[in-house]
Amino acid sequence: MLPVAAAVIALAYPKVFSLPYPQHVGVLICMNALMAVAWNITGGYTGQVALGNTVFFGIGAYTSSLLLRDFGVNPWIGMLAGTILSMIAAVVLGYTTFRLRGYYFTIACIAMAEIVSAIVVNTRRLGGAVGVTIPIRDASLLNFQFHGTNKAPYYYTILTFLAVALFVVYRVERSKLGYYFRAIREDEDGARALGVNPARYKLIAFMLSALFTSVAGTFYAQYVMFIDPASVLAQPVSVSMCLMAVLGGLGTLWGPVLGAMALIGISEATRVTLGGTGQAVDLMIYGLLVIVFAVFQPTGLMGMLGKLKARKE
Amino acid sequence: MALLEVTNLTKRFGGLVANDDVTMSVNEGEIVGLIGPNGAGKTTLFNSIAGVYNPEQGKILFRGEDITRYNPEQACQAGIARTFQIVRVFKGMTVLDNVMVGSYLRSQSDADARERALEVLKFTGLYPKKDYLASALTIADKKRLEMARALATRPTLLMLDEAMAGLNPTECQAAVDCIRAISREGITILMVEHVMEVIMPISDRIVVLNSGKKIAEGEPKAVSADPEVIKAYLGGKYVARS
Ligand SMILES: Nc1ncnc2c1ncn2[C@@H]1O[C@H](COP(=O)(O)OP(=O)(O)OP(=O)(O)O)[C@@H](O)[C@H]1O
Ligand SMILES: [Mg+2]
């Protein structure tokens, strides 16, 4: 029942709110939800706190944008190329870091992201610190560009990506993969004793996560039409995916979506009420929320909903 | 040829020799008890067999296959399942989901895995608690769950590390009955246990370790009468007087 209601609301949203701003907020929520859903595969289900996913977001954004700018390659094909590159990056990063447990893995991820960012900043061919402007094409689904004030086509595009990601995670949850992911999170040695190869399954999780994050990266580039290391290859990008998943509920299907709605809601509300100076305030509220949740509600918004439901019954 | 053959196994931790030139075997269908005082090296031997440790010397053959350098998942895939002395259930998962993880090893489909898991839960008597979170179980049930989870991997050899420690007499009896039932299914069992009243009657053969060395091996009766064994358990005084 609930998923059906959610789908109806999500589909009707741009029809009900036809102004550019609410549609833009809708796009932001879906895009961030997609990133949080992707992050949740590694961070939530397998319990590997990967704080370097901005690498995959950046690879997605840069691959499609550079292919389009320099070779005229269609962004959909660029998106595909980006996902392949991102998954290769995940394998490399995974192989070198999965032997590290806990904090060390997290630190290695952060370091990796910093290295990639430094490489891009210092390579003129990749746009350097200045960034890349995406060339304008005719507005069409085929060109992955929609101009004007109506953001609904972008909204439906990203909503479709999000729906696909949620469907994949839904299926994974109920399959061998999902069971093995959770077993690894709960107790890696216990899982090994049952024949689970943690390196292999962490890698699969990481690759899935990289794939969806990369798609979000290409989408971001096509939506904003400009990318630079500060916007797509930066630590806050990695951290916000993690925050949304934690706030919503780690290792749950809908948690990252709720988390994205909450955090984008807060961020936009503070921006609107406080204007340009509001930027730091939303971060302060994020920080406070994370502390409050970590202490009082470690299972996130999903856990809260679960409790409410249990009380009603 | 025995199912499991351990030859001249030595495992050191720095200067400490936890297993010193241990040779032992387990035959197909047997229940073998592994006993010895605290720190004798029983868990270490389990860990070497299960692929957790790489022994410095010696060889481990399982169904004729050299598994000495296997890692834990390979050992399990080869047919060796084990429980842990300190329980390692997946606390945040339900009883059924814990067992599902085990049953996926040799299942073709999700439905297959589920069916196998439910079967094992009925067999071990955990079925009524299948939807409990593992963290909500009593210690006896957690140990039972570890056994169920291991069984779900369809092992040839099941290794139990102190499956009865911390259980009251009723729970202990239930665990013994369960182990006997597992044995009747044709699964070979190697078990570590401190409670003599439990291990002696259930075992076909006993292996005794002391300070890393094997000091005795044989039928329960013969082993409990062995002066070396009595000395290891009760200290030199007892032997001197007799
Ligand atoms: N990982 C390790 N690192 C260092 N020393 C270890 C390690 N594991 C075990 N030991 C030491 O090796 C010896 C054998 O330990 P082991 O746990 O195998 O004994 P045990 O027979 O299982 O004892 P218990 O009956 O108390 O469980 C002990 O002295 C122990 O302190
Ligand atoms: Mg022990």
Side-chain angles (χ1 to χ4, degrees), chain A residues 179 186-187 192-195, chain B residues 73 76-77 88 91-92 104:
Chain A
Y179 281 89
E186 293 287 322
D187 187 334
R192 298 187 78 177
L194 298 174
Chain B
E73 53 270 29
C76 181
Q77 284 152 15
R88 307 198 82 129
K91 292 197 193 77
Y104 265 115

Side-chain angles (χ1 to χ4, degrees), chain B residues 18-30:
Chain B
N19 285 151
D20 190 354
D21 202 31
V22 175
T23 296
M24 59 143 332
S25 63
V26 178
N27 296 310
E28 188 126 32
E30 267 187 329

Side-chain angles (χ1 to χ4, degrees), chain A residues 2 254 258 297 300-311:
Chain A
L2 219 57
W254 292 100
L258 289 183
Q297 185 61 43
L301 292 167
M302 287 299 284
M304 236 157 89
L305 287 182
K307 263 187 226 159
L308 283 180
K309 213 165 127 193
R311 201 172 302 163

Side-chain angles (χ1 to χ4, degrees), chain B residues 7-190:
Chain B
T7 9
N8 305 114
L9 194 87
T10 298
K11 173 67 201 164
R12 295 192 183 89
F13 294 112
L16 183 99
V17 189
N19 285 151
D20 190 354
D21 202 31
V22 175
T23 296
M24 59 143 332
S25 63
V26 178
N27 296 310
E28 188 126 32
E30 267 187 329
I31 299 181
V32 174
L34 181 61
I35 65 168
N38 288 113
K42 306 179 295 289
T43 299
T44 304
L45 183 59
F46 260 40
N47 280 333
S48 291
I49 297 169
V52 177
Y53 296 146
N54 267 336
E56 276 79 28
Q57 277 155 46
K59 207 173 188 179
I60 306 165
L61 291 185
F62 182 67
R63 299 159 107 175
E65 183 182 341
D66 187 347
I67 63 160
T68 318
R69 300 268 165 260
Y70 274 20
N71 61 33
E73 53 270 29
Q74 288 170 321
C76 181
Q77 284 152 15
I80 299 177
R82 59 91 57 97
T83 67
F84 294 90
Q85 182 168 355
I86 298 158
V87 288
R88 307 198 82 129
V89 294
F90 306 131
K91 292 197 193 77
M93 293 166 71
T94 65
V95 167
L96 173 61
D97 286 356
N98 265 267
V99 180
M100 284 287 281
V101 174
S103 70
Y104 265 115
L105 182 69
R106 293 190 220 283
S107 296
Q108 299 310 315
S109 67
D110 298 337
D112 228 27
R114 198 183 158 80
E115 194 180 322
R116 169 74 187 154
L118 291 172
E119 202 177 284
V120 170
L121 285 173
K122 282 178 191 146
F123 180 81
T124 52
L126 280 172
Y127 187 81
K129 294 177 182 158
K130 71 178 171 35
D131 295 323
Y132 285 31
L133 270 188
S135 58
L137 296 179
T138 62
I139 182 72
D141 281 339
K142 279 184 187 150
K143 296 211 163 199
R144 182 66 64 98
L145 175 57
E146 277 210 353
M147 246 193 257
R149 209 172 63 167
L151 278 179
T153 67
R154 300 175 194 262
T156 314
L157 173 68
L158 179 63
M159 303 203 294
L160 305 170
D161 197 350
E162 306 206 9
M164 255 78 89
L167 306 199
N168 68 35
T170 326
E171 293 164 341
C172 233
Q173 189 52 51
V176 166
D177 293 342
C178 186
I179 292 167
R180 285 220 159 93
I182 294 168
S183 179
R184 275 197 300 275
E185 295 284 302
I187 295 168
T188 308
I189 293 170
L190 175 62

